[in-house]
């Protein structure tokens, strides 16, 4: 039976805060919440923006889990909290009485992060830390304001073979032991064992009076759901490379705060069907003028396919409950509702649209790779002793390699795990607790400058283009895997409307940079933000020219024929496998050479016996790169895969500075670090 909190626990409270861009830090925060609840703390887990720093001291402990995004930036759902800590009027004892610990999630393939808060972290910069910049900034600022660290900071590296668990597991085990020592329990009270099921804060229930009421059970389109006004998607998709045998998800519009209404106007495959990868050029048109800059991202909220949802409901035995109206209800009465944790899924469709089927289609992720906590939970929902034992093995830190081999390495999904452990039957009331949220996916915008204007339209609208590689591959266990969002995008017909989010990206590009030379390195779909930047720099160039001509007219009273545009030089290093298969936007580069002086250097890695990559081109063009970045103090932009490429390019740049500047290794690295500090080395990888 689930265990509730005991009455004596009121004096032990823990606030667990997260700053999360993609949900990983939130997952860590929720795991920390469960860890402390088993130690009899009354816990609350929420994003940092939801709390006021003045209230932190009201808790016994405050734990922070935060990821680093962009160029060492704080995630959006923690930025308000972070800015509140930077107010100049705060006294040095503002957080006196706060006892805290922090855990950061980073990616060591990124360079060392720097931003406008260098004054806070200059000490760290001197010793060359290269990742997890956000948690280091936060940790240092908390201490500056008088908060007291109760346990040393933990850090995870996405490049670790076991991902974030490689750093989190040993840290959390030691944290638990430390908390038990620092906050001992009474002699007659023990920590809640791991084999005891914790009561969730919220569960699902049927809407009162809906016993005989059921929505459309077809799993496609209910008459009550808010549609987007386009034609139904039940007909075969007529776009390139159709999923004609698969019924796509329903085309209802989800209520996403702060979103834009956009219409998909193009969904074209730009690689030949013989090529190993399907890459799409997508174009959206917003209903109003919308401002964005190069490096910004568009967040798409995917949906699960009806066939997968049907499999899941049948597997769990939820056929009779799947189409009845439901809602979340708290499991405890709270005298202070403002401090009670919010429901696990934000921005739900209201009654009568919300059903188990719509919840599984629109809000819960059933095809992602499960985390350890998932196995811990579902082990409670089986009567098969062998299944239970095996599931619990996956939660044991000693078997982290086995968990990796079972889940991450073959990319095994939640749905597949439940198909293999068929004895597991999750109570439908618990589904919002057991399954992770289906999160939006961010894509770098590929359009800029004149490309922002919709084609053949004079209306006040904005065009947003994406270049998206459709994730579909065969794993080591010979099974086909597809990305939940790119599969969804590939199946969308033109004309459909969607609610999307437009967000600032991590490159932090501004018009003020236009006069500096730009060295852009974007292999594969990493060329998308580079294309946006190139077209935007063309627009800035034309604006500068007009301004200068007007100034000359005002001074001389006559038009000057002299071209005096002070835009910086533009160089693009692009890499792909084959010139004839995935040389994206090749037809545009010649036009941009004529209009902007763009220089393009290409590496087609499979078109000759020896492989050539973008880092090789950087070395070949060492004199040009040195002149633009060292002599003329230009900016380098690096976008694309977060694997080996970023570090290989970084190494090539160091070699360029050594060769052309006759610098030793330490001096070359130091110059690159100074570029980072000055915002002239920008990287966005995924």
């Amino acid at each position: 039976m689930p265990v509730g909190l005991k009455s004596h626990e009121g004096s032990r409270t823990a606030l667990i805060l997260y700053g999360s861009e993609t949900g990983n830090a939130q997952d860590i925060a929720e795991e920390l919440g469960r860890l402390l609840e088993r130690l009899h703390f009354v816990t609350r887990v929420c994003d940092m923006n939801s709390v006021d720093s003045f209230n932190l001291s009201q808790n016994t402990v405050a734990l922070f889990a935060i990821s680093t995004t962009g160029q060492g930036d704080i995630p959006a759902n923690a930025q308000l909290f972070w800015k509140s800590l930077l107010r100049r009027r705060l006294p040095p004892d503002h957080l006196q009485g706060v006892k805290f610990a922090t855990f950061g999630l980073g990616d060591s393939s990124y360079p060392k992060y720097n931003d406008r808060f260098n004054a806070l972290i200059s000490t760290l910069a001197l010793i060359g830390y290269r990742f997890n910049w956000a948690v280091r900034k936060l940790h240092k600022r908390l201490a500056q304001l008088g908060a007291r660290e109760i346990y040393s900071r933990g850090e995870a590296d996405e490049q670790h073979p076991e991902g974030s668990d490689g750093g989190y597991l040993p840290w959390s085990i030691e944290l638990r032991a430390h908390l038990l020592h620092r906050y001992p329990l009474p002699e007659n009270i023990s920590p809640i064992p791991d084999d005891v099921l914790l009561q969730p804060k919220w569960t699902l229930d049927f809407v009162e009076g809906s016993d005989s009421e059921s929505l459309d059970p077809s799993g496609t389109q209910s008459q009550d759901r808010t549609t987007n006004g386009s034609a139904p998607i039940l007909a075969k998709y007529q776009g390139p490379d159709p999923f004609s045998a698969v019924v796509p998800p329903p085309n209802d519009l989800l209520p996403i705060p702060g979103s834009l209404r956009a219409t998909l106007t193009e969904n074209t495959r730009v690689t030949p069907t013989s090529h190993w990868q399907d890459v799409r050029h997508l174009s959206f048109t917003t209903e109003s003028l919308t401002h964005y800059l190069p490096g910004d991202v568009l967040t798409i909220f995917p949906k699960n396919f009806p066939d997968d949802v049907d499999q899941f409901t049948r597997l769990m035995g939820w056929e009779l409950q799947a189409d009845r109206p439901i809602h979340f209800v708290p499991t405890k009465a709270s005298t202070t509702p403002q401090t009670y944790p919010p429901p696990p899924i934000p921005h739900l469709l209201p009654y009568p649209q919300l059903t188990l089927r719509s919840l599984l289609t629109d809000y819960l992720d059933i095809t992602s790779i499960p985390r350890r906590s998932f196995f811990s939970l579902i082990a409670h929902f089986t009567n098969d002793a062998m299944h239970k034992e095996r599931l619990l093995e996956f939660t044991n830190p000693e078997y982290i390699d086995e968990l990796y081999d079972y889940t991450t390495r073959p990319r095994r999904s939640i749905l597949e795990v439940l198909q293999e452990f068929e004895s597991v039957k999750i109570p439908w009331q618990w589904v919002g607790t057991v399954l992770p949220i289906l999160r939006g996916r961010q894509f770098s915008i590929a359009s800029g400058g004149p490309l922002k204007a919709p084609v053949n339209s004079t209306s006040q609208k904005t065009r947003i283009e994406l270049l998206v590689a459709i994730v579909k591959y065969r794993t080591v266990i010979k099974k086909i895997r597809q990305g939940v969002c790119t599969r969804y995008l590939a199946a969308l017909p033109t004309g459909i409307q969607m609610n999307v989010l437009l967000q600032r990206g991590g490159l932090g590009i501004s018009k003020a940079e236009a006069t500096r030379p730009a060295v852009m390195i974007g292999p594969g779909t990493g060329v998308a933000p580079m294309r946006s930047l190139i077209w935007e720099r063309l627009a800035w160039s034309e604006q500068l020219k007009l301004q200068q001509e007007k100034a000359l007219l005002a001074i001389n009273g006559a038009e000057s024929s002299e071209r005096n545009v002070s835009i910086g030089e533009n160089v693009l290093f692009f890499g792909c496998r084959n010139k004839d298969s995935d040389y994206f936007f090749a037809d545009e580069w010649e036009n941009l050479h004529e209009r902007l002086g763009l220089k393009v250097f290409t590496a087609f890695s499979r078109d000759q016996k020896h492989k050539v990559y973008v880092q090789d081109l950087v070395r070949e063009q060492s004199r040009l790169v040195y002149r633009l970045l060292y002599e003329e103090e230009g900016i380098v932009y690096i976008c694309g895969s977060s694997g080996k490429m970023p570090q290989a390019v970084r190494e090539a740049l160091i070699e360029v500075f050594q060769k052309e500047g006759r610098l030793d290794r330490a001096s070359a690295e130091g110059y690159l670090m100074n570029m980072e500090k000055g915002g002239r080395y920008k990287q966005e990888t995924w």
Side-chain angles (χ1 to χ4, degrees), residues 7-18:
S7 60
H8 76 273
E9 298 165 354
S11 60
R12 297 164 61 90
T13 61
L15 180 63
I16 300 97
L17 301 175
Y18 60 83

Side-chain angles (χ1 to χ4, degrees), residues 192-260:
I192 301 173
D194 290 339
D195 60 355
V196 175
L197 185 59
L198 296 174
Q199 176 72 33
K201 302 294 191 300
W202 297 81
T203 56
L204 287 167
D205 197 1
F206 292 125
V207 173
E208 188 175 352
S210 66
D211 291 348
S212 60
E213 185 178 357
S214 181
L215 301 184
D216 182 3
S218 66
T220 55
Q221 170 109 18
S222 166
Q223 296 298 318
D224 288 297
R225 301 185 80 177
T226 306
T227 64
N228 62 17
S230 64
I233 315 180
L234 301 184
K236 288 184 178 180
Y237 170 53
Q238 298 301 316
D241 192 19
F243 289 79
S244 56
V246 179
V247 177
N251 58 344
D252 54 312
L253 290 166
L254 301 182
I256 301 168
S259 62
L260 298 170

Side-chain angles (χ1 to χ4, degrees), residues 96-113:
Q96 186 173 355
V98 175
K99 301 175 180 63
F100 77 97
T102 58
F103 187 84
L105 293 89
D107 187 335
S108 59
S109 71
Y110 269 69
K112 174 178 55 59
Y113 300 131

Side-chain angles (χ1 to χ4, degrees), residues 392-500:
L392 290 176
E393 282 181 359
F394 289 135
T395 70
N396 190 331
E398 295 181 6
Y399 296 104
I400 188 172
D401 291 342
E402 286 195 31
L403 176 64
Y404 177 84
D405 289 339
Y406 181 71
T407 57
T408 305
R409 189 164 179 264
R411 317 300 290 179
R412 188 176 266 107
S413 72
I414 286 174
L415 180 57
E416 289 172 323
V417 168
L418 292 173
Q419 288 169 338
E420 294 183 10
F421 291 88
E422 69 277 0
S423 66
V424 173
K425 302 299 176 186
I426 303 168
W428 66 266
Q429 296 91 338
W430 284 61
V431 66
T433 299
V434 176
L435 296 182
I437 295 173
L438 186 57
R439 302 183 188 279
R441 269 58 168 182
Q442 294 182 337
F443 297 94
S444 293
I445 293 174
S447 49
L451 299 185
K452 294 179 181 178
V455 178
N456 301 323
S457 175
T458 59
S459 60
Q460 299 294 297
K461 297 182 179 182
T462 302
R463 178 167 42 146
I464 303 173
E465 297 183 12
L466 305 177
L467 184 69
V468 177
I470 305 303
V471 179
K472 186 177 182 180
Y473 58 94
R474 193 178 299 274
T475 70
V476 293
I477 57 174
K478 308 302 181 185
K479 287 196 173 185
I480 297 294
R481 292 287 182 268
Q482 297 184 65
V484 62
C485 192
T486 60
R487 180 191 181 199
Y488 171 67
L489 285 175
L492 292 178
T494 56
I496 189 172
Q497 290 185 323
M498 309 170 64
N499 284 335
V500 297

Side-chain angles (χ1 to χ4, degrees), residues 76 173 177 296 360 362-363 373 378 406 420 438 447 471 521 527 597 635 649-650 671 677:
I173 292 171
D296 288 355
L360 292 170
D362 297 337
Y363 297 104
S373 56
I378 66 172
Y406 181 71
E420 294 183 10
L438 186 57
S447 49
V471 179
I521 304 171
V527 78
I635 304 173
V649 168
R650 185 182 180 87
Y671 184 75
K677 291 179 182 179

